[in-house]
Amino acid sequence: MALLTKYRNIWRLGGKRSFFSRKKFSLGTCNLVEPGNVSPERSVPDHIVKPDYYHVLNSPKRSEGWPEIKDEVQIQGMRESCKLAANVLKKACAITKVGISTDDIDVFVHDEIVKANAYPSPLRYLGFPKSVCTSVNNVACHGIPDDRKLMDGDIINIDITVYYNGFHGDCSRTVLVGNVDERGRFLVQSTEESLNESILLCGPGQALCVIGKSISLFAKSKKLNVMPAFVGHGIGSYFHGPPDVLHFHNNYPGTMRTGMTFTIEPILTLGDVDAEILDDGWTAVSVDNARSAQFEHTILITEGGCEVLTLPD
Ligand code: MF3
Ligand code: CO
Ligand code: CO
């Protein structure tokens, strides 16, 4: 990714009234990013068991039907893959510093996952070229690791999914790089809180839409916006499946049941809700160049409520 504008001050200027209606809460400052040079595909050793899409692009997905209710064996598989994803994410966050490139993060994540006898789920998923998503500043999600080096003040989401013993585990965090301005820190902290608050509401018999209601109300209370285009998802032997987990206010039908596993992964922004996908087919950027942050957990609905599967040791 190359630098478009260094330390540009981005205010949300909405139309003619902008001079007078300049937001009380500024968008702060950030380095805008655009896609850079992507290194060749990394190899995965023969002994690692790969998902179908590694061999056949667009191999059948589990996109239709009811959310799966997992049995004890499947749940144990999910616990292990999610634990691995969380532990790799923790290590990846720890090496994330000024001067390292997002490709360096990809190398690290790829090697850690392969060392654990697992497969990095993003690699070749619907043609994604790398082993992890790295989304910096105005990139909302699905950033492709490249040769851009992290700069002081960046915020970066690292989204790790592993395929281990036949199950995917998916989680992400947004990391502060060096000295991040107050608005950036507020955004990142609030986004994590919005996820945690919504998890408290999860349990059998609850409507799935309480998640979106909780996150949108929380965001509103912080004068932040939710980017509605990106949703959580059911997960298991498949990367993405039913149910869709919307992060905005909605009345979609669907109830949480014991044995369901799904992700919650809100993206909150300092600016407007709209995103667009760049020509690489993946990188989702905010239309107004505002920064966004994202956090993600995979959860299991249990008889007593829910279990966050993606907690590190
Ligand atoms: N990990 C992302 C999610 O939370 C999905 C990334 S798809 C990829 O659902 F192909 F970009 F890896
Ligand atoms: Co993810
Ligand atoms: Co996900």
Side-chain angles (χ1 to χ4, degrees):
M1 285 180 252
L3 190 64
L4 286 183
T5 313
K6 197 172 185 218
Y7 287 117
R8 191 176 118 189
N9 199 2
I10 310 159
W11 295 87
R12 189 207 237 180
L13 300 172
K16 289 189 204 124
R17 294 187 313 119
S18 61
F19 180 77
F20 299 103
S21 64
R22 183 176 272 193
K23 285 276 161 191
K24 236 210 219 132
F25 298 89
S26 78
L27 298 185
T29 56
C30 80
N31 292 301
L32 297 182
V33 293
E34 66 173 20
N37 300 307
V38 179
S39 61
E41 185 180 287
R42 303 209 146 82
S43 63
V44 181
D46 286 346
H47 70 273
I48 302 285
V49 179
K50 300 165 182 81
D52 291 345
Y53 56 77
Y54 181 84
H55 307 284
V56 185
L57 180 70
N58 290 330
S59 52
K61 291 204 305 172
R62 193 179 184 282
S63 50
E64 308 269 295
W66 297 102
E68 177 178 73
I69 303 298
K70 290 181 176 63
D71 63 24
E72 266 313 312
V73 174
Q74 292 170 305
I75 288 170
Q76 203 43 44
M78 286 301 292
R79 285 203 178 99
E80 286 165 21
S81 65
C82 289
K83 176 70 81 183
L84 174 61
N87 283 335
V88 175
L89 177 58
K90 187 177 171 185
K91 289 186 203 168
C93 291
I95 63 139
T96 297
K97 297 272 149 60
V98 174
I100 77 158
S101 69
T102 50
D103 191 59
D104 294 334
I105 298 174
D106 186 73
V107 172
F108 179 82
V109 166
H110 182 93
D111 291 348
E112 285 290 322
I113 293 171
V114 164
K115 253 197 282 173
N117 280 316
Y119 178 87
S121 306
L123 189 64
R124 296 196 185 184
Y125 181 69
L126 301 171
F128 193 80
K130 289 283 150 194
S131 300
V132 60
C133 296
T134 52
S135 305
V136 179
N137 293 346
N138 54 303
V139 178
C141 63
H142 302 161
I144 300 171
D146 63 22
D147 58 354
R148 181 188 184 275
K149 289 183 163 65
L150 293 173
M151 303 174 77
D152 189 49
D154 284 346
I155 63 173
I156 176 176
N157 175 274
I158 301 176
D159 191 336
I160 295 194
T161 316
V162 305
Y163 181 68
Y164 182 52
N165 289 337
F167 295 94
H168 295 272
D170 188 8
C171 53
S172 85
R173 301 185 60 81
T174 300
V175 182
L176 307 176
V177 181
N179 297 302
V180 174
D181 68 329
E182 198 273 329
R183 289 302 283 156
R185 296 196 310 270
F186 176 76
L187 170 69
V188 171
Q189 188 186 333
S190 301
T191 305
E192 184 167 22
E193 283 171 13
S194 80
L195 169 61
N196 290 340
E197 288 285 312
S198 72
I199 290 172
L200 295 176
L201 301 174
C202 291
Q206 274 280 42
L208 276 158
C209 64
V210 300
I211 293 170
K213 287 178 181 167
S214 163
I215 291 168
S216 64
L217 277 175
F218 187 89
K220 206 171 171 191
S221 77
K222 303 285 179 187
K223 296 194 162 57
L224 297 169
N225 281 321
V226 178
M227 293 181 109
F230 307 104
V231 303
H233 49 91
I235 183 166
S237 57
Y238 43 90
F239 196 164
H240 295 113
D244 287 333
V245 179
L246 311 182
H247 303 118
F248 53 90
H249 194 280
N250 72 88
N251 285 305
Y252 275 61
T255 305
M256 301 176 204
R257 302 283 179 211
T258 303
M260 282 185 186
T261 55
F262 55 81
T263 73
I264 310 177
E265 47 184 298
I267 303 179
L268 269 52
T269 172
L270 293 171
D272 290 325
V273 297
D274 299 315
E276 65 188 4
I277 310 294
L278 300 184
D279 289 341
D280 59 25
W282 284 103
T283 312
V285 296
S286 61
V287 168
D288 62 357
N289 291 333
R291 282 173 291 176
S292 60
Q294 182 177 32
F295 282 79
E296 173 175 29
H297 275 305
T298 299
I299 70 163
L300 164 73
I301 302 301
T302 61
E303 269 166 34
C306 77
E307 192 177 311
V308 179
L309 298 180
T310 39
L311 292 178
D313 288 326

